[in-house]
């Protein structure tokens, strides 16, 4: 079935609508970062850069690192942007733009998020690295797609009971990383964890400036929750959407978190730029090893 112009929206040059990219502009290994300025922090390590494009908060560089072709793209903040980025990356490799039909043979991308995060457990050190083995989304994105069978309902049910979760809020959904890609990126420097993806930075993460939160004890509930030996380790704003959409679309995804804050101890990194740079170099090196 042919996709209509209102469903598959292309720009005048036939690039995908928001990302402003053509199919040949991206590699099959894609690094996502939130901050558009961080794209250059990654691509400065590339040996060559062949593509530099940007539109809105979505900036893209494609090049090669040690012989491996890679793309780094900024997503901005939040799973609403992840919905755009993941669907449009998939369209670039799995939809024929000329015929406006799905390709018969699908391409699976490697998608690696390099991002910052705040720990919720006191024993997680600031400036350490954490790989999200699981992500629990408070954002509700996955409930708009047909994919409930991919979610860990037992985990989310246990959390909702523990937290006395309000029916006014979206039900948390839980989805896992790609284990094989995770093994490629893992080392004894990396801690595995359960990441909560929040729908905001302030109230949804328990921060109080001038506004009161609806559940002042939410972070304590996050910290004290355990299910089948797993604790919630950290908070951020994109991973659940990346994992959920990647699984639905047949891509491999892993989220690499640089812990810049510890909400339990009140600490914040004294060298955030250096720590993020170390995670970038670590991830690039791991992606080039067989």
């Amino acid at each position: 079935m042919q996709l209509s112009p209102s469903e598959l929206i292309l720009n005048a040059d036939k690039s995908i609508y928001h990302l402003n990219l053509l199919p040949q502009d991206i590699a099959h290994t894609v690094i996502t970062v939130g901050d558009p300025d961080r794209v250059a922090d990654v691509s400065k390590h590339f040996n060559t850069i062949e593509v530099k494009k940007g539109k809105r908060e979505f900036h893209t560089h494609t090049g090669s690192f040690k012989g491996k072709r890679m793309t780094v793209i900024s997503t901005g903040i939040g799973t609403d942007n992840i919905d755009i980025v993941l669907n449009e990356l998939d369209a670039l490799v799995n939809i024929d733009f000329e015929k406006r039909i799905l390709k018969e043979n699908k391409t699976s991308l490697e998608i690696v998020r390099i991002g910052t995060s705040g720990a919720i457990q006191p024993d997680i050190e600031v400036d350490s690295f954490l790989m999200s083995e699981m992500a629990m989304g408070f954002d509700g994105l996955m409930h708009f797609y047909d994919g409930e069978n991919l979610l860990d309902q037992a985990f989310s049910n246990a959390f909702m009971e523990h937290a006395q979760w309000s029916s006014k809020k979206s039900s948390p959904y839980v989805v896992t990383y790609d284990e094989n890609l995770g093994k490629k990126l893992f080392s004894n420097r990396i801690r595995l964890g359960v990441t909560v993806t929040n729908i905001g930075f302030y109230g949804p993460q328990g921060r109080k400036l001038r506004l009161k939160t609806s559940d002042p004890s939410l972070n304590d509930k996050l910290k004290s929750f355990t299910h089948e030996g797993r604790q919630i380790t950290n908070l951020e704003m994109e991973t659940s959407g990346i994992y959920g959409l990647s699984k639905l679309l047949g891509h491999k995804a892993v989220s690499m978190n640089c812990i810049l804050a510890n909400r339990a101890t009140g600490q914040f990194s004294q060298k955030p730029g250096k720590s993020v740079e170390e995670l970038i170099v670590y991830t690039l090196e791991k992606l080039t090893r067989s």
Side-chain angles (χ1 to χ4, degrees):
M1 182 179 70
Q2 194 174 56
L3 296 165
S4 72
S6 67
E7 302 302 296
L8 175 64
I9 306 173
L10 301 179
N11 298 312
D13 65 351
K14 301 298 184 182
S15 61
I16 196 72
Y17 184 55
H18 295 93
L19 303 187
N20 197 36
L21 296 172
L22 298 164
Q24 61 266 30
D25 289 337
I26 68 165
H28 290 174
T29 296
V30 180
I31 295 169
T32 71
V33 296
D35 185 353
D37 290 339
R38 196 172 292 152
V39 172
D41 291 339
V42 177
S43 69
K44 71 182 182 183
H45 298 284
F46 290 179
N47 304 116
T48 61
I49 299 177
E50 64 189 78
V51 174
K52 283 188 176 183
K53 290 187 176 181
K55 184 180 179 182
R56 306 188 189 193
E57 60 266 63
F58 310 115
H59 293 194
T60 303
H61 292 178
T62 295
S64 64
F65 177 75
K66 294 189 175 181
K68 185 179 181 70
R69 192 169 186 251
M70 298 183 189
T71 292
V72 54
I73 184 168
S74 60
T75 65
I77 298 174
T79 56
D80 50 348
N81 280 2
I82 294 301
D83 183 60
I84 292 170
V85 173
L86 265 290
N87 276 289
E88 294 195 0
L89 285 173
D90 179 76
L92 286 165
V93 295
N94 288 319
I95 295 177
D96 185 320
F97 283 8
E98 292 299 324
K99 297 179 180 178
R100 291 183 165 273
I101 59 173
L102 305 182
K103 293 181 180 178
E104 185 174 347
N105 297 317
K106 301 298 187 295
T107 296
S108 179
L109 300 172
E110 285 184 331
I111 300 171
V112 180
R113 172 187 176 268
I114 299 178
T116 59
S117 183
I120 202 77
Q121 300 296 340
D123 66 314
I124 300 176
E125 295 182 4
V126 167
D127 300 311
S128 65
F129 302 157
L130 184 145
M131 182 187 295
S132 304
E133 188 176 22
M134 302 173 71
M136 180 161 61
F138 289 171
D139 54 283
L141 176 62
M142 290 304 294
H143 299 312
F144 288 88
Y145 291 96
D146 181 9
E148 294 293 318
N149 59 312
L150 297 176
L151 307 179
D152 188 332
Q153 198 61 52
F155 194 104
S156 58
N157 286 344
F159 173 76
M160 285 189 286
E161 181 178 354
H162 170 82
Q164 298 177 302
W165 196 250
S166 171
S167 61
K168 296 178 181 179
K169 298 175 182 176
S170 176
S171 298
Y173 63 90
V174 179
V175 62
T176 59
Y177 73 158
D178 183 86
E179 188 173 352
N180 289 330
L181 182 55
K183 288 178 180 177
K184 187 174 183 179
L185 294 168
F186 186 75
S187 75
N188 58 11
R189 192 175 180 182
I190 304 295
R191 175 169 177 161
L192 294 177
V194 178
T195 298
V196 163
T197 295
N198 296 84
I199 198 168
F201 185 77
Y202 288 95
Q205 294 191 36
R207 288 186 173 91
K208 304 177 189 71
L209 298 182
R210 289 209 312 125
L211 297 176
K212 294 181 180 179
T213 60
S214 61
D215 184 356
S217 61
L218 177 58
N219 282 2
D220 290 333
K221 293 173 181 176
L222 292 171
K223 186 169 65 172
S224 61
F225 174 71
T226 60
H227 180 69
E228 296 183 344
R230 287 189 169 95
Q231 288 182 307
I232 293 169
T233 51
N234 63 306
L235 312 176
E236 52 76 72
M237 295 180 65
E238 290 89 33
T239 298
S240 65
I242 294 172
Y243 282 9
L245 291 175
S246 292
K247 282 199 178 291
L248 288 178
L249 293 165
H251 305 301
K252 306 173 183 69
V254 165
S255 179
M256 305 291 286
N257 302 272
C258 183
I259 303 298
L260 293 187
N262 189 303
R263 300 297 303 284
T265 65
Q267 292 176 294
F268 191 85
S269 173
Q270 297 297 307
K271 50 169 190 172
K274 182 179 179 183
S275 295
V276 172
E277 172 72 6
E278 289 175 1
L279 180 57
I280 288 169
V281 172
Y282 173 92
T283 304
L284 288 173
E285 291 287 351
K286 284 290 186 181
L287 284 171
T288 59
R289 294 175 185 172
S290 56

